[in-house]
Amino acid sequence: MPFSSREELERACFQNLLSSSEERVFFKGMDGHFLMVSNGFAAALGRGLTAAELIGKTDFDLFSDVHAAEALADEQHVILTGEPIVGKIELETFQDLPDAWVSSTKLPLRDDRGEIFGTFGISRDVTEQIEAQHAVEYQALHDPLTGLMNRVALMDRLAQSLIALERRPGQIALLFIDVDGFKSVNDTLGHKAGDQVLCEVGRRLDAIARRTDTVARFGGDEFVMLCTRLRDGDDLRLIGDRIIRSLSKPLRDGSEVDVTASVGAVSTSNPTLAPEELLQQADFAMYAAKRAGRNRLEIYDAQLHGLVASSRGLAAELRRALDEHQLYVLYQPLFRLHDQAPIGVEALVRWQHPERGIVLPNEFIPVAEQHGTIGEIDTYVLDEACRQLAAWTAEGAWKDQTMSVNVSGQQLRDPKLVARVAATLARHQIAPSRLCVEITETALIGELNDANRVIDSLTALGVQVALDDFGTGYSTLTHLQQLRATILKIDRSFVAQIGGRPRDREIVGAVTAMAHALGMTVVAEGIETDAELSELTAVNCDQGQGYLFGKPQTPAEIARMFAAA
Ligand code: C2E
Ligand code: MG
Ligand code: MG
């Protein structure tokens, strides 16, 4: 050994750490001046100063005064208490350079006798992760087209406003706005014109809203306005009329587009009302406005209440639908992106209603979740989908193609779920690895530990588990890290943006990389254009589905498609 003492060896190791590693390591005296820093620290600063040149300087020479003062306060805390600060996420700001997010750990520096003579720390740049997280959070609460808040954000505000009524009695109002004749705008002038109309409607509503009000887009041509400080009953009619007048003005120069709006309004001073109930009342008033001839305002009252009661009938109808086999399943093909080979299908439920025609799941699944029929629906779809997969396999056309089935997040609370999945697989003699359970409505996943228990049991069974609709509602990075799913499905709202905005491409790229790091497979939903497909391929997304490859279709159509592939 070329070293005469242990001390010399340790010093040499230490010197190597400081000079060769990219870690940002720093040692500071009691008053915050640098005693020693790693080359990695000097390099990361990007000021062309060497580690040696930094000795004797303080944070005030390098960062903004605000950041330097905060850092000094943290270090004084470490010195006074002897307690470390671990993994603190903070924003580094500079006089002249762009901000950066860092994670820093600071510990006391002690001499041989244990006396503190300064601090030392390690920091890491986490800007990319934090920005991706912020973007995902923003996306989860906003409508990508209009930039307004989305349903989740508005319902949260509504809940808060109701709670606030307890402390400070008053009136709040909810207005449900549906654009009349929007479908014909889309059909005759195209989607681009339709989008422009929706954006303009959003802008006009925003202009009417007061500072304390919230405007949200609920999807399609539905908007909701929440007014938190109503002066008296007349106010409601005034706001509603203003909305109708504003929206009926020609929407584009040259007035090619004329739309009007039907508005349903409700107000309350009752803090115990459930947010969903108030929303349903506003929704019903809006329907009443449509029925009464559109382009008008209806205010919810006791008479309308009768109509609400009849909506409860929908739940009963659903139960009958199950008994009378009005539900059926369509299948949407799933593709591997790099070679565009079809690798499986997702089962999507439909309701052939005797009077209303085909009803889509977005309309009846929430009703089923509310009224307790969701379990029966999911059980039916699981069984039917497995039966179909077994049939395709028996015909000899399919070997290892997979079947994805949606299960409401609510069902994770059902103690029999895992046993039911196991029994269904056994009944149809399907290898567990060919089934993927997609968990939807993650907002309903209450206790993460419980959810993980179910996910782990399914995984132990050999079944794959996917986190559906990632990037919407509450399904955000927190869930990604905490739920042990094997597949991540990125919601259509992300995919729809990816061609247009470079930033969204970066987010999808970062989310994909993060999911890959967690060992997950990434599936993109709602791929409609070649441009979206190539962007997704470029960021290494694994699989995809969407109208570009194929819409949800009947078993016979699927069999033909896969046979031709
Ligand atoms: P999901 O699981 O995210 O399914 C994807 C939805 O996006 C489907 O809507 C599909 O038709 C639609 N889609 C696929 N590709 C495209 C595209 O390129 N463009 C557009 N615009 N849309 C596309 P669908 O069938 O109406 O289902 C809606 C949601 O209802 C599903 O979203 C799922 O959350 C839920 N759902 C469907 N079947 C079931 C079920 O059996 N049980 C439960 N609990 N939920 C279900
Ligand atoms: Mg799904
Ligand atoms: Mg989805």
Side-chain angles (χ1 to χ4, degrees):
M1 193 168 70
F3 302 104
S4 52
S5 69
R6 179 79 201 166
E7 281 75 31
E8 263 184 46
L9 170 72
E10 284 175 2
R11 196 170 318 125
C13 293
F14 180 67
Q15 276 310 333
N16 274 281
L17 172 72
L18 287 193
S19 60
S20 311
S21 105
E22 284 177 11
E23 293 294 331
R24 305 173 175 201
V25 184
F26 51 88
F27 297 85
K28 288 177 173 178
M30 297 292 275
D31 57 358
H33 70 262
F34 290 106
L35 300 171
M36 210 181 244
V37 301
S38 64
N39 285 349
F41 182 92
L45 275 178
R47 291 183 181 276
L49 292 172
T50 64
E53 285 164 342
L54 283 166
I55 293 173
K57 293 203 185 313
T58 71
D59 279 356
F60 288 93
D61 301 316
L62 308 173
F63 302 100
S64 72
D65 285 355
V66 178
H67 179 65
E70 277 169 7
L72 187 62
D74 281 350
E75 284 145 19
Q76 292 302 316
H77 172 83
V78 171
I79 288 169
L80 285 174
T81 62
E83 287 167 7
I85 291 175
V86 180
K88 177 177 173 183
I89 304 288
E90 53 190 348
L91 187 65
E92 269 181 357
T93 53
F94 301 85
Q95 237 71 270
D96 48 354
L97 293 172
D99 297 349
W101 286 98
V102 292
S103 160
S104 19
T105 293
K106 293 179 177 177
L107 304 102
L109 202 51
R110 296 180 191 271
D111 62 19
D112 291 345
R113 286 163 305 153
E115 298 288 330
I116 294 176
F117 69 96
T119 57
F120 75 102
I122 299 181
S123 73
R124 203 158 40 86
D125 190 301
V126 290
T127 307
E128 223 173 89
Q129 282 110 293
I130 297 289
E131 282 185 350
Q133 185 158 353
H134 287 170
V136 168
E137 279 161 12
Y138 179 88
Q139 184 116 9
L141 297 175
H142 290 82
D143 165 47
L145 177 65
T146 60
L148 294 172
M149 288 196 174
N150 65 14
R151 184 188 191 104
V152 173
L154 186 111
M155 291 312 279
D156 190 55
R157 288 237 170 143
L158 176 56
Q160 299 300 332
S161 312
L162 284 163
I163 291 168
L165 284 180
E166 274 174 32
R167 277 180 280 115
R168 192 172 151 189
Q171 289 251 323
I172 64 169
L174 201 64
L175 295 104
F176 203 112
I177 301 128
D178 189 288
V179 180
D180 300 323
F182 179 71
K183 194 172 174 306
S184 77
V185 174
N186 252 349
D187 291 349
T188 55
L189 298 172
H191 283 277
K192 206 155 162 248
D195 285 354
Q196 281 171 1
V197 168
L198 293 174
C199 288
E200 180 60 21
V201 168
R203 271 193 293 274
R204 292 190 185 184
L205 292 175
D206 214 33
I208 292 169
R210 289 169 298 192
R211 211 168 41 81
T212 48
D213 300 343
T214 305
V215 180
R217 176 168 171 237
F218 267 34
D221 54 0
E222 292 177 347
F223 296 81
V224 171
M225 189 190 282
L226 166 68
C227 307
T228 48
R229 299 225 186 105
L230 224 53
R231 278 187 298 272
D232 55 51
D234 279 346
D235 229 342
L236 188 55
R237 192 161 286 283
L238 220 69
I239 301 167
D241 284 338
R242 204 177 299 147
I243 290 173
I244 286 168
R245 249 180 295 126
S246 164
L247 296 188
S248 62
K249 286 186 196 135
L251 277 174
R252 293 205 307 190
D253 298 338
S255 73
E256 296 156 72
V257 186
D258 275 328
V259 295
T260 55
S262 298
V263 180
V266 61
S267 67
T268 187
S269 54
N270 175 7
T272 64
L273 210 62
E276 291 75 24
E277 193 158 353
L278 200 64
L279 179 70
Q280 199 180 40
Q281 292 175 351
D283 189 16
F284 264 82
M286 187 279 290
Y287 266 110
K290 285 254 189 238
R291 258 198 313 271
R294 306 174 156 206
N295 190 21
R296 55 185 291 144
L297 168 74
E298 286 291 336
I299 292 178
Y300 181 85
D301 63 14
Q303 268 185 336
L304 274 172
H305 193 82
L307 283 170
V308 177
S310 83
S311 101
R312 308 248 149 88
L314 196 65
E317 277 190 330
L318 252 180
R319 183 152 284 132
R320 194 162 354 115
L322 277 157
D323 297 339
E324 295 177 4
H325 308 293
Q326 293 166 10
L327 296 187
Y328 64 99
V329 184
L330 291 183
Y331 300 90
Q332 186 176 34
L334 187 71
F335 285 76
R336 194 160 56 204
L337 291 190
H338 77 86
D339 58 358
Q340 293 176 34
I343 51 172
V345 291
E346 174 175 4
L348 295 159
V349 69
R350 297 288 182 269
W351 179 6
Q352 179 71 54
H353 190 283
E355 285 110 45
R356 295 168 61 191
I358 294 170
V359 186
L360 291 174
N362 284 340
E363 201 172 326
F364 66 87
I365 294 284
V367 177
E369 282 178 336
Q370 227 177 9
H371 292 88
T373 30
I374 187 67
E376 280 167 75
I377 295 178
D378 283 353
T379 303
Y380 159 72
V381 174
L382 174 69
D383 188 63
E384 176 58 21
C386 287
R387 189 198 61 73
Q388 184 61 61
L389 183 64
W392 279 326
T393 310
E395 283 161 21
W398 284 34
K399 260 207 334 274
D400 44 25
Q401 283 82 353
T402 57
M403 174 66 70
S404 299
V405 173
N406 294 284
V407 168
S408 161
Q410 222 182 50
Q411 289 293 296
L412 294 187
R413 287 193 218 117
D414 180 352
K416 299 207 194 79
L417 176 68
V418 179
R420 192 160 62 232
V421 171
T424 309
L425 287 170
R427 187 161 56 247
H428 298 290
Q429 298 191 0
I430 288 170
S433 60
R434 296 182 66 193
L435 179 69
C436 171
V437 169
E438 296 190 2
I439 301 171
T440 63
E441 283 290 337
T442 28
L444 296 168
I445 299 176
E447 186 43 53
L448 285 176
N449 285 336
D450 289 348
N452 268 328
R453 245 194 309 280
V454 177
I455 292 174
D456 288 348
S457 307
L458 288 170
T459 309
L461 200 64
V463 170
Q464 317 219 44
V465 179
L467 208 56
D468 208 346
D469 303 336
F470 180 80
T472 63
Y474 292 105
S475 175
T476 56
L477 285 183
T478 325
H479 274 114
L480 174 57
Q481 284 156 347
Q482 293 174 348
L483 288 171
R484 295 190 281 267
T486 46
I487 296 173
L488 182 74
K489 297 194 79 171
I490 299 185
D491 190 70
R492 186 166 88 224
S493 58
F494 268 110
V495 174
Q497 302 293 324
I498 197 171
R501 292 194 295 203
R503 206 178 143 69
D504 284 298
R505 179 180 167 176
E506 277 169 34
I507 296 168
V508 174
V511 168
T512 304
M514 225 178 288
H516 281 164
L518 294 167
M520 301 170 92
T521 300
V522 180
V523 184
E525 299 186 309
I527 306 175
E528 293 186 354
T529 65
D530 284 317
E532 286 161 6
L533 174 61
S534 59
E535 295 287 350
L536 288 162
T537 313
V539 299
N540 277 329
C541 181
D542 306 293
Q543 300 167 7
Q545 63 191 93
Y547 294 170
L548 180 67
F549 299 117
K551 293 197 169 183
Q553 45 204 292
T554 62
E557 287 165 331
I558 286 287
R560 268 198 299 281
M561 171 185 253
F562 277 65

